[in-house]
Amino acid sequence: ENPKKNHRFWLLCVMLIFISGMSYGLGGDKFQYMLEFESYPRDFGQLRQQIVLGFILRSQMPGWVIMNMLCKTIFDSFYAVQFVEAICINVSICCFVRNYTKHYFLFLIIYFVSFTYFMFNTDVMREAMSMSFMLFAFTAYLKGQKVRFYLLILAALMFHFTAIVALLFPFVRIKYSHYMFYVAFGTAFALWIGSDILITHVLSRLGGTGNLINKIFMYSIQASTIFGFLRSAISYIVFPFITMYYSIKWEEDEELAEKKRKFYSFQIPLAIVASAFVGLTRVQNSAHIIYLVMLTDFVYLLFRKKRDHQGLRLFNTIGIFVFFIWQYSSYWPKTGMYYFQLWFPYTTGLDEYRDVEFREMGHNEVLNPDKDDKSRRDVNF
């Protein structure tokens, strides 16, 4: 391998870390994390108390609290949290990518322009910390290191409870076929139809208090129309199936092709859940980097392979990026901003004088929809 190419790749990784680490007021959830960081004491002796409070009041796992307390005690700056998180997620992604595609520079472009980079680095920061361990865990399992796999998943769970979906990875045995695509779509549709009954008559009978229970209920009352379901199913089932099908079909390394089949097998059940239950779409994040790796090969092969179904493949590629643009151009009328403005214009620590409060207001608008919002179920908990 060309050492210069390798050095340039890791230089880009370092640049991504610094872009995120030096940012100021980007994202949505980050504003809450910044506020919480100010409330942490600089006394590491209070760690146990903070872990308990973090779990009960904010449904945060111990790893995130420990990381914040260390940064507070040593640096007393949220920029330290940003850098630690950026190092973990970007290094893990770059290591993962190097194992499963030769076109890793193209991957970094897709990672950036799809807004995945901004989402993982400045918004879903706790979940991204968890995913950084999951990515290493997947590689460990495929190398036959099962003990290491479970230890890494345990570490992932220390940062976000959604890491529990990674425990499916060793057990899923879904056949790579067209038939499975139709089964997945049909199952998602059936679950979507029954979701109102499931949510209304099952979750409405659950009791309990605390932030974790409140979050479960908040995600549960989110609903979607038939058009919302189709949009999700196209995004999470149709596009990924076409992408992964050709990425696997034309993979010349049979060992790598087998690993890709395993990744496909893991992605399918998450895609079904994300399509059927709009409040659970974030479970798909656990397989999103896997999807982007396959998309990288798919895009590269679009003009580098024989012309089998080239029209379909071109339409699929265009469709994927149209849906990315559609998602991040959503308009929030109360604050008069678009989704992508959570990250644009880019602001750094040198721009702390600039007003970025509109981003927090826009994010709050999404988290607190009107009571008559049609995307909410009328459920009495």
Side-chain angles (χ1 to χ4, degrees):
E1 184 179 0
N2 187 342
K4 290 185 178 180
K5 185 178 179 181
N6 188 49
H7 293 158
R8 288 168 188 155
F9 176 76
W10 288 109
L11 178 60
L12 286 175
C13 181
V14 171
M15 290 174 62
L16 292 176
I17 290 170
F18 271 88
I19 290 172
S20 173
M22 291 301 298
S23 66
Y24 168 72
L26 297 186
D29 288 346
K30 184 195 283 190
F31 287 94
Q32 184 61 34
Y33 297 147
M34 291 169 67
L35 183 63
E36 291 166 1
F37 184 82
E38 295 303 317
S39 69
Y40 284 114
R42 292 196 66 185
D43 180 8
F44 205 70
Q46 298 186 39
L47 176 62
R48 182 175 180 180
Q49 178 186 5
Q50 292 298 318
I51 288 176
V52 173
L53 290 175
F55 185 78
I56 295 175
L57 300 180
R58 301 188 290 266
S59 67
Q60 292 178 354
M61 302 301 280
W64 178 256
V65 178
I66 293 171
M67 173 179 148
N68 275 265
M69 284 287 288
L70 282 171
C71 291
K72 180 76 172 185
T73 303
I74 299 172
F75 301 101
D76 194 21
S77 172
F78 189 76
Y79 288 106
V81 176
Q82 293 185 166
F83 267 104
V84 171
E85 191 267 353
I87 290 170
C88 289
I89 187 60
N90 290 294
V91 169
S92 64
I93 286 175
C94 287
C95 289
F96 185 83
V97 168
R98 289 295 301 273
N99 285 321
Y100 303 106
T101 180
K102 297 176 182 177
H103 317 297
Y104 33 83
F105 286 103
L106 178 58
F107 169 87
L108 291 182
I109 295 173
I110 293 174
Y111 175 50
F112 192 87
V113 301
S114 68
F115 283 97
T116 304
Y117 164 77
F118 292 104
M119 180 63 71
F120 284 3
N121 281 266
T122 68
D123 200 11
V124 292
M125 297 174 70
R126 291 187 297 125
E127 194 172 353
M129 282 296 299
S130 179
M131 284 188 283
S132 67
F133 289 98
M134 279 193 279
L135 292 175
F136 283 117
F138 295 148
T139 297
Y141 184 85
L142 293 175
K143 290 182 178 179
Q145 301 168 345
K146 295 183 179 180
V147 173
R148 186 179 181 186
F149 168 81
Y150 287 108
L151 289 175
L152 286 166
I153 295 303
L154 179 61
L157 282 167
M158 288 290 288
F159 285 90
H160 206 277
F161 63 89
T162 55
I164 198 167
V165 302
L167 294 175
L168 286 173
F169 192 77
F171 304 105
V172 284
R173 297 288 189 274
I174 297 175
K175 189 176 179 181
Y176 160 72
S177 65
H178 289 83
Y179 172 75
M180 191 59 233
F181 163 75
Y182 296 118
V183 170
F185 195 95
T187 302
F189 183 66
L191 288 174
W192 174 78
I193 291 176
S195 62
D196 276 333
I197 298 174
L198 182 67
I199 298 298
T200 304
H201 297 290
V202 177
L203 286 181
S204 61
R205 287 170 170 73
L206 291 179
T209 58
N211 188 269
L212 182 59
I213 295 297
N214 291 336
K215 278 194 172 183
I216 292 174
F217 287 169
M218 181 185 74
Y219 291 133
S220 300
I221 64 175
Q222 296 181 44
S224 64
T225 64
I226 181 63
F227 298 105
F229 164 76
L230 289 175
R231 175 179 173 176
S232 295
I234 291 171
S235 297
Y236 302 129
I237 297 177
V238 178
F239 286 155
F241 174 79
I242 296 173
T243 299
M244 294 182 177
Y245 176 82
Y246 287 103
S247 178
I248 296 170
K249 178 181 179 181
W250 287 333
E251 177 56 58
E252 297 176 352
D253 185 334
E254 182 53 38
E255 182 180 351
L256 182 54
E258 188 60 33
K259 292 176 180 178
K260 287 184 175 181
R261 292 188 190 99
K262 183 64 176 178
F263 287 142
Y264 162 83
S265 184
F266 173 67
Q267 188 268 345
I268 282 294
L270 302 187
I272 292 172
V273 171
S275 301
F277 303 98
V278 65
L280 300 178
T281 55
R282 283 175 65 166
V283 302
Q284 184 65 19
N285 286 347
S286 299
H288 192 63
I289 296 301
I290 291 171
Y291 173 40
L292 292 189
V293 168
M294 300 259 208
L295 179 59
T296 298
D297 288 341
F298 181 83
V299 171
Y300 179 81
L301 292 170
L302 188 60
F303 302 105
R304 300 283 296 183
K305 205 70 178 177
K306 53 188 177 181
R307 297 182 178 273
D308 290 11
H309 306 111
Q310 192 168 33
L312 172 64
R313 292 187 287 128
L314 181 60
F315 178 80
N316 188 69
T317 303
I318 294 172
I320 289 170
F321 287 98
V322 166
F323 269 61
F324 277 142
I325 295 170
W326 184 10
Q327 177 183 355
Y328 290 107
S329 62
S330 300
Y331 182 68
W332 300 332
K334 288 184 179 179
T335 48
M337 64 176 288
Y338 293 92
Y339 194 173
F340 68 82
Q341 287 180 285
L342 288 178
W343 307 287
F344 180 84
Y346 174 79
T347 47
T348 72
L350 300 176
D351 301 320
E352 289 192 5
Y353 62 89
R354 295 183 63 171
D355 179 19
V356 293
E357 186 180 356
F358 68 94
R359 288 171 177 155
E360 183 178 14
M361 294 171 61
H363 187 247
N364 288 335
E365 179 180 342
V366 176
L367 294 180
N368 301 285
D370 295 332
K371 290 185 178 180
D372 60 351
D373 192 333
K374 294 181 180 180
S375 65
R376 290 163 59 94
R377 293 185 174 90
D378 184 15
V379 181
N380 294 317
F381 290 114

